Amino acid sequence: MMKINGGDAFSSHRIGWYDLYEDTIENISPYDNIYACGILSPRYIHSEYTLEWINQLNFYKCGVNLGYNINQNGLVVYSDRINQEYFRWSDSENTMIFAKEFQQMRHFFDKNLRNFSGKRRRVLIDATAISKIALSSIVGMLVRTRAVSGIDILYQQADYQYNGLWLHDVYAAGPLHHDINDIDFCFSAVPYSEGKYKPNLPRHIILLCGLDFQRTIAKIRELEPARIDLIIEDEAVRDSKSFASLQSLCRNLDIDPDGILKTKRWNLNETIKLIDLAISRINRTNIHSIIISAGGKPFATAATLHSILKSECPLLATVPDRVVHMQRMPLNKCKLYRLDDRTSV
């Protein structure tokens, strides 16, 4: 096993000019005093966090987002000892709001990275503190512009309750039992992950999705795809009713059963390999692959890295027209995804 700054990384992957490692924060240690800045939630120290990580949350500048996911159970408020700057970045209710917020995000990183005198400039991002399109855009910006030598992304997998019911059970009961499927959304290009768009070719859609697969798959028709490959979180179809619903939707859209690929929500390396597999099945130059990122934050991260560092496929995110507030229940140990620039000196 490879030692990663004091820990044993169970998974590593080389993608583009970056090395990607993933494990829990118990097994991967934080870097010492070289984080230029970070984006974190106003509530952070879950019981899974180690004292080693807590002590390193003393950034040159810490951006604290007060506008997203602040009603988390079992978490405590940040200490005043951290050099903080506060923002209110929402769950991206529309693309106009996100465009304005992303300008603030770019300014925050530009200002703090420019002022950081360390030879190795790293940032830390708490994925629970921002929306999926914000996470994709920030990672894309930092990688594409080569602004940093590394990025650490914290991810705390969670389950959700909606109107007192577990979200998985809500979806499994079908759309007549809830109004979540009534939320409209658009496909929005992710900044810095536009790829090489080929407008005159038929579209091959690679859709990454989770529990909301019913509305995301149905929306795919608007793009008039010639082929669809589906990468889905396995927990989204663990219920027999959910799996039957998925099969029915796929038959209606003529999705090949071999084009349905399942993986763990948190496994970035496996997701990147599945995107590779979906693209390799085309083996033709007269069809154009486009990646659509729905599902969880790790899916968004994997799709971003693949688009920028490997395939140059355009990346689209699903941006809702309204936000449904749910109770968030953290699960399992906190994951860390570590990106190291191999070319950095």
Side-chain angles (χ1 to χ4, degrees), residues 31-37 56 116 118 120-123 149:
Y31 281 103
D32 292 330
N33 302 318
I34 62 172
Y35 292 108
C37 59
Q56 279 299 319
F116 187 67
R120 289 176 57 83
R121 299 188 299 181
R122 301 188 64 89
V123 300
S149 60

Side-chain angles (χ1 to χ4, degrees), residues 1-4 7-14 19-24 27-28 266-273 335-340:
M1 300 293 284
M2 182 179 294
K3 286 285 184 180
I4 303 298
D8 293 327
F10 74 81
S11 182
S12 65
H13 189 81
R14 179 163 288 188
D19 289 322
L20 167 64
Y21 307 101
E22 59 179 83
D23 204 334
T24 65
N27 292 329
I28 302 183
W266 46 261
N267 196 328
L268 251 69
N269 291 333
E270 181 66 23
T271 304
I272 290 171
K273 293 174 183 177
K335 301 287 183 183
L336 176 73
Y337 305 114
R338 170 161 291 168
L339 285 161
D340 280 327

Side-chain angles (χ1 to χ4, degrees), residues 6 37 74 117 138 142 157 172 182 194 218 236 258 269 272 282 284 300 313 317 331 338:
C37 59
S117 59
I138 290 172
L142 296 174
Q157 185 175 353
D182 295 335
E194 297 87 351
D258 291 336
N269 291 333
I272 290 171
I282 298 304
R284 290 184 294 166
C313 293
L331 299 172
R338 170 161 291 168

Side-chain angles (χ1 to χ4, degrees), residues 201-252:
L201 295 180
R203 298 181 183 96
H204 167 219
I205 301 299
I206 303 170
L207 173 63
L208 284 67
C209 62
L211 286 171
D212 62 345
F213 67 83
Q214 294 178 359
R215 62 193 183 102
T216 51
I217 291 177
K219 187 88 170 179
I220 291 296
R221 301 171 193 226
E222 296 181 3
L223 301 178
E224 300 180 346
R227 177 186 170 92
I228 300 173
D229 280 285
L230 184 66
I231 300 174
I232 189 167
E233 298 166 358
D234 60 359
E235 64 191 63
V237 288
R238 65 188 176 194
D239 182 272
S240 59
K241 292 182 180 178
S242 298
F243 186 65
S245 176
L246 174 66
Q247 289 179 312
S248 176
L249 283 168
C250 290
R251 282 194 299 268
N252 292 337

Side-chain angles (χ1 to χ4, degrees), residues 89-159:
W89 298 328
S90 68
D91 197 3
S92 301
E93 295 186 31
N94 59 59
T95 53
M96 182 176 295
I97 291 175
F98 172 69
K100 293 178 180 178
E101 293 173 347
F102 189 51
Q103 290 293 331
Q104 291 182 326
M105 298 175 198
R106 290 175 56 184
H107 178 70
F108 171 81
F109 282 104
D110 179 64
K111 175 181 62 177
N112 291 293
L113 290 173
R114 184 174 60 246
N115 294 336
F116 187 67
S117 59
K119 292 182 179 179
R120 289 176 57 83
R121 299 188 299 181
R122 301 188 64 89
V123 300
L124 188 144
I125 302 171
D126 181 353
T128 66
I130 49 179
S131 65
K132 286 178 286 189
I133 189 172
L135 176 63
S136 289
S137 301
I138 290 172
V139 171
M141 175 185 67
L142 296 174
V143 173
R144 178 77 75 184
T145 61
R146 309 196 79 154
V148 295
S149 60
I151 306 170
D152 283 358
I153 302 172
L154 296 172
Y155 172 68
Q156 180 76 54
Q157 185 175 353
D159 207 345

